[in-house]
Amino acid sequence: MDAHSRGGAEEIDPADQWVLNPQTGNYELRLDHSAGQPPSPSPPSAPSAPRAAAPPPQGRRAAREPAREPAREHPRDAGGRQGADRDTGREAAPNTAPKTASGQEQPTGSRRRTAEVPGQRRRRAAEPAAPAGRRGSAQAAAGRRRGKAKEKKGRTKKVLVWTGGVTAFALLATGGVAYYLYQRLDGNLSTIDVAGAGGGSGFKKDQAINILVIGTDKRTGDGNSGYGDKNSPGHADTTILLHVSKDRTNATALSIPRDLITDIPKCDVKLEDGTEKTVPAESGVRFNTSLGQLDRNPGCTMATVHEMTGIPVDHFMMVDFNAVKTLSTAVGGVEVCVEQAVKDKKSGLDLPQGKSVIQGEQALAFVRTRQAFGNKSDLSRIQTQQQFMGSMFRQMKSSETLTSPSKLLDLADAATKALTVDAGIGSVKKLQELGMEVAKVDPKNITFATVPVLDNPAERIKATVVLDEAKAEPLFNIIKNDISLSEVEQQEKDAKNAAKAAQAALLKGPRAQPSDVRVDVYNGSGVRGGAQSTINWLQNSAGVLKSTNKANAPADLAKTTLEFAPNQADQARALADLMGLPATALKQGTADAGEREPMTLTLGKDFRGAGVPLTGPAKAPEGAVAADKQVCAK
C-alpha cells in the first residue's frame, strides 16, 4: 500500500512504501530507499497460529527490543486498555522520539509518520520454552491441537467471508444489471400516443383486458425488403383481439380477417413531424386498410375494431416481419405440425410431414404462406397462424424457457425491439405488469377463434368477405360479457342434458314456425338497450318477425321469464329453443289467448346479450381451438 492510499500523507513521498519487517512480522513505513527503516517496538499481538520460536535477539537490537508476552495473557485486554488503539489493538506510541540506527532521536515529522503505521493482524506470541528434552514434543502436540482448531475456524471464517462478499456483490450486481436492463429494454420500445382511440382507458388488475395485437406487413428489418412491396407503409395484415378475462382464468384470441369488408371511422393521428391530422371515415373497404393507408396509425385500427364489435380496446401491440423471426429464434424454435410435406416456392416454406421445430426465416414463411394449406385463402392462413402462436405461447411458458436466464434475456430483448405499443403501456415496467396478468392464464384455457364471415355476395370472383352477423353478434356478446370460450363445449353439453331433463314434461310437444311466433319484449335486465338488441336479433337472425320492443319492464327481474297461454305452447317452445330459455323461465297461464295476442318475454339479470342462450354460453364458433392443443395444418 503506498502513501496515496492514506489520508494526511502530504509530507510522504509517493515512492515510500509499507514493507514487512521480518524481525517483528509487522508492516512499517520505509521512507528512504537507501537505508532501511529501523524496526519499531512491537506491540503485544493477538493469538496466531503456532510457529517456531525466534532465536533470542543479540547485540544492540536485543537491548532495544522489549521482551514479548503472549497477547492472551495481557492484563489490560479484558477492558479499556490504557493508551491502546481500540480499533487496531495496538499500543499507542510512547511519548518519546524513536531512535535512528545510531541511537539518535529522529525529527518530529518522522515521529508523526511512525505513529501512522496501520493496524496489524494479531499474532500469537511464541510459547514459553518447554523443559529440556520435552520442548520439541510439547510444541508439536500443542501445534497439532491448536492447528486443527485454527484450521476449522479458518475454513468457517473463509466460507462466511466468501458467502457474505459474493452475496453483497450479487445484490449490487443484480441492482445494477436490473437498472441497466430496464434502461436497455425501455430504449428498445417504440411508442405511439393513441389516447382516446377505441375507448382505451388502460387496464386494471381487477378488470378484463382487451389488447389488439397487430401484425403489419411493412417490409422493415434485415432481409425483409425482398418480400415485395418494400416501400409500403404497411397494412393490418394479421390482427388479433386478445380478451383476458376479469378473473384471469381464461382468454380468447379473436382473429379478424384482413380482407373483411367493413367501415373505418374517422380518426385523429399525429404525424412523425409532430403535426396532427384527421383521417376521414371510409365505408365498405378492407379491414387491413385501417392501418398505414392515408397515414392511419394503430389507433385507427383500434377504433375500427371497437365500432365493428362493440368491444372496447384498451391497448395495442404492433409487430412486423422481424418479430416472428427474432421471437421464434429467442425461444429456441417453435414446434409446428403439417399433415403432408410442404414445399411452397412463393413463401419459401419447406417442411417434412409431421412435426418440425422452426425459427427465423422458416417461421416467417410458415405464418405467411397462403398456398400450402386449406383453400389457399387468408382464412386458411389464419388457422396456421393460430397454430403457430399457440405453440409459441406454450414454448414461452415452458420450464425450458423460464429457467434459462439467457433465453429470457434474449426473449425480452427480441420482444421489446419488435414491439410498437401505445403510450399507456410504453415502458418495460408496464409491459411486465401486463405480462404478469396474461401469464396467469393457463394455455389450455386460451381459445383461438375467428370472426364469423361469409363470402362477399357483391363479388363474382371471391376475394373479400363480409361479416356473418347472425353468428358474429353472439360471439361479440360472449366476449363483451366476459364468458369463457374454453369451457363452452363442456358447459354446452351439461346445459343440454339439464335442459332435456327439465323440459321433458313442460316442453314436450310441437313447435310453431319462427314466423308464426308473436312476442312482446320488456327489458328488466338492467342492460341498456337489451330489449332492442334482442328484437334486432330475433327479427334479423332468428326469423321471429312478429316481435315488438315494449321498452323497460316495471321493475328489474332476477331471471328472464316467458309468459304464454295454453294455446300458445307451440310458440313458447319455439322461442325457448331459439333463445335457450330454461324450463324454469316458462310461465303458462290458465286461459287461452286471442288469435293475435302476443306472448310476453321479460328479460332478467341473467340476460347476457342478444343471441346468447340463458342455459349456458353460446355454441363455440366453428374452428375454435384451445392454445394447449397441437393441430396439424392441412
Side-chain angles (χ1 to χ4, degrees), residues 192-200 268-269 297-300 302 314-316 421-424:
I192 297 176
D193 188 359
V194 294
D268 296 325
V269 299
N297 67 15
C300 302
M302 292 170 69
D314 302 313
H315 299 284
F316 83 85
V421 299
D422 61 275

Side-chain angles (χ1 to χ4, degrees), residues 34 72 76 146 192 235 343 358 379 498 542:
S34 61
R72 65 180 184 276
R76 289 171 293 180
R146 289 194 301 271
I192 297 176
H235 303 77
K343 195 160 188 176
I358 59 175
L379 298 179

Side-chain angles (χ1 to χ4, degrees), residues 77-114:
D77 276 353
R81 266 192 261 171
Q82 296 178 357
D85 184 329
R86 295 180 185 272
D87 292 330
T88 64
R90 293 185 288 115
E91 292 278 354
N95 192 19
T96 58
K99 308 290 185 179
T100 64
S102 61
Q104 297 178 352
E105 290 189 358
Q106 287 183 343
T108 306
S110 296
R111 184 184 311 154
R112 180 177 59 79
R113 296 179 192 176
T114 303

Side-chain angles (χ1 to χ4, degrees), residues 199-272:
S201 56
F203 77 92
K204 296 180 180 178
K205 293 186 178 181
D206 60 347
Q207 296 296 327
I209 308 170
N210 296 314
I211 307 165
L212 195 65
V213 181
I214 306 170
T216 175
D217 57 0
K218 189 174 183 180
R219 270 66 168 169
T220 53
D222 295 339
N224 295 329
S225 59
Y227 292 122
D229 199 16
K230 65 180 182 179
N231 295 320
S232 169
H235 303 77
D237 192 56
T238 300
T239 306
I240 297 174
L241 179 61
L242 177 64
H243 170 81
V244 182
S245 69
K246 178 180 178 179
D247 60 8
R248 309 298 187 252
T249 61
N250 64 88
T252 300
L254 182 66
S255 292
I256 302 173
R258 68 189 300 276
D259 296 324
L260 172 65
I261 298 299
T262 190
D263 297 334
I264 300 177
K266 73 173 183 178
C267 56
D268 296 325
V269 299
K270 183 178 287 187
L271 304 180
E272 291 183 0

